[in-house]
């Protein structure tokens, strides 16, 4: 312990090296920290999550839409890997238990925000074109996926099959005679002498 009775003295004019705390220069450490920060930002950029780093970039609506589509695609790929992992786990459990289990893992493949009203309007616009019956079935599949996404695969297939075998009259234009029969007639005016 150094106190006033045993302190080391030195002459600043004659002593070449002054005593002090020895520490390495901070330049290499700051260089390493900046490299780490750049690598983290690059990982977020490559993952399409540059907004996490806190750096804001002005983007157009189309650029944001493309960025969201990339994020949606990555989430979809991740959900497929999760479903595959779940099936493998279930297969191992079944083999361990000595059972034969049929197991189906279903994960969502679309994580986008769906506007059901717009989807239905677009589907009706396509149906109004009066194209082939096959296209009508495909439009119906998209409507079902948008309107009832939690529908089971068996029920979905049953609805599509029933649509294929039904008479495709849901999109036929209405004839003028049918329009007249469907339009209610206005009430006839009451004569003034009956009032």
């Amino acid at each position: 312990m150094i106190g006033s009775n045993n302190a080391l003295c030195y002459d600043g004019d004659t002593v070449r090296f002054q005593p002090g705390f020895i520490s390495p220069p901070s330049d290499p450490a700051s260089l390493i920290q900046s490299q780490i920060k750049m690598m983290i930002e690059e990982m977020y950029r490559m993952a399409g999550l540059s907004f996490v780093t806190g750096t804001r970039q002005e983007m157009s609506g189309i650029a944001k839409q493309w960025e969201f589509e990339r994020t949606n695609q990555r989430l979809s790929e991740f959900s497929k890997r999760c479903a595959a992992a779940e099936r493998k786990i279930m297969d191992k459990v079944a083999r361990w238990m000595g059972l034969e289990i049929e197991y189906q893992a279903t994960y969502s493949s679309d994580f986008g925000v769906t506007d059901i009203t717009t989807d239905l309007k677009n589907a009706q616009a396509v149906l109004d074109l009066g194209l082939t019956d096959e296209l009508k079935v495909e439009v119906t599949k998209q409507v079902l996926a948008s309107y009832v996404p939690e529908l089971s695969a068996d029920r979905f297939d049953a609805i599509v099959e029933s649509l294929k075998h039904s008479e495709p009259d849901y999109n036929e234009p209405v004839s003028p005679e049918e329009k007249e029969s469907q339009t209610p007639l206005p009430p006839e005016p009451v004569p003034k002498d009956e009032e």
Side-chain angles (χ1 to χ4, degrees):
M1 186 149 143
I2 296 176
S4 57
N5 58 349
N6 61 354
L8 299 173
C9 299
Y10 76 98
D11 186 1
D13 296 331
T14 59
V15 177
R16 186 171 160 197
F17 299 106
Q18 297 180 0
F21 291 104
I22 299 172
S23 63
S26 62
D27 294 340
S30 61
L31 178 67
I32 291 172
Q33 285 179 340
S34 66
Q35 288 291 330
I36 291 172
K37 184 178 179 184
M38 284 173 32
M39 288 171 62
I40 290 171
E41 288 178 0
E42 181 65 14
M43 284 190 290
Y44 278 121
R45 186 197 65 77
M46 289 172 65
L49 302 170
S50 57
F51 58 87
V52 176
T53 59
T55 56
R56 290 196 64 202
Q57 296 177 346
E58 295 301 324
M59 299 171 70
S60 67
I62 295 173
K64 286 186 178 184
Q65 183 178 2
W66 277 106
E67 185 174 348
F68 179 75
E69 288 298 324
R70 283 194 303 267
T71 304
N72 194 11
Q73 184 179 9
R74 285 185 184 92
L75 289 172
S76 176
E77 291 168 0
F78 182 70
S79 71
K80 288 177 187 173
R81 288 195 300 267
C82 287
E86 189 174 330
R87 285 192 298 271
K88 286 179 182 178
I89 290 170
M90 194 63 189
D91 183 48
K92 287 185 185 295
V93 169
R95 282 193 286 160
W96 178 72
M97 295 177 70
L99 300 173
E100 196 167 312
I101 301 173
E102 273 191 40
Y103 184 76
Q104 184 68 28
T106 306
Y107 283 71
S108 178
S109 60
D110 186 16
F111 297 91
V113 178
T114 57
D115 183 9
I116 297 173
T117 307
T118 305
D119 288 349
L120 291 176
K121 284 181 184 176
N122 291 341
Q124 187 59 50
V126 172
L127 291 175
D128 288 343
L129 293 174
L131 302 174
T132 63
D133 292 338
E134 290 84 7
L135 182 63
K136 292 176 184 178
V137 171
E138 294 303 318
V139 169
T140 305
K141 287 180 184 179
Q142 287 187 349
V143 168
L144 287 174
S146 174
Y147 194 66
V148 279
E150 67 278 352
L151 198 64
S152 68
D154 295 335
R155 182 71 180 134
F156 184 90
D157 293 340
I159 292 172
V160 171
E161 279 301 315
S162 69
L163 178 69
K164 286 180 183 176
H165 299 300
S166 68
E167 195 64 35
D169 60 350
Y170 54 85
N171 192 32
E172 300 301 322
V174 180
S175 66
E177 295 84 23
E178 290 176 348
K179 270 189 183 176
E180 288 177 8
S181 66
Q182 291 176 356
T183 307
L185 297 173
E188 294 185 14
V190 179
K192 289 188 176 185
D193 56 347
E194 290 182 11
E195 287 180 355

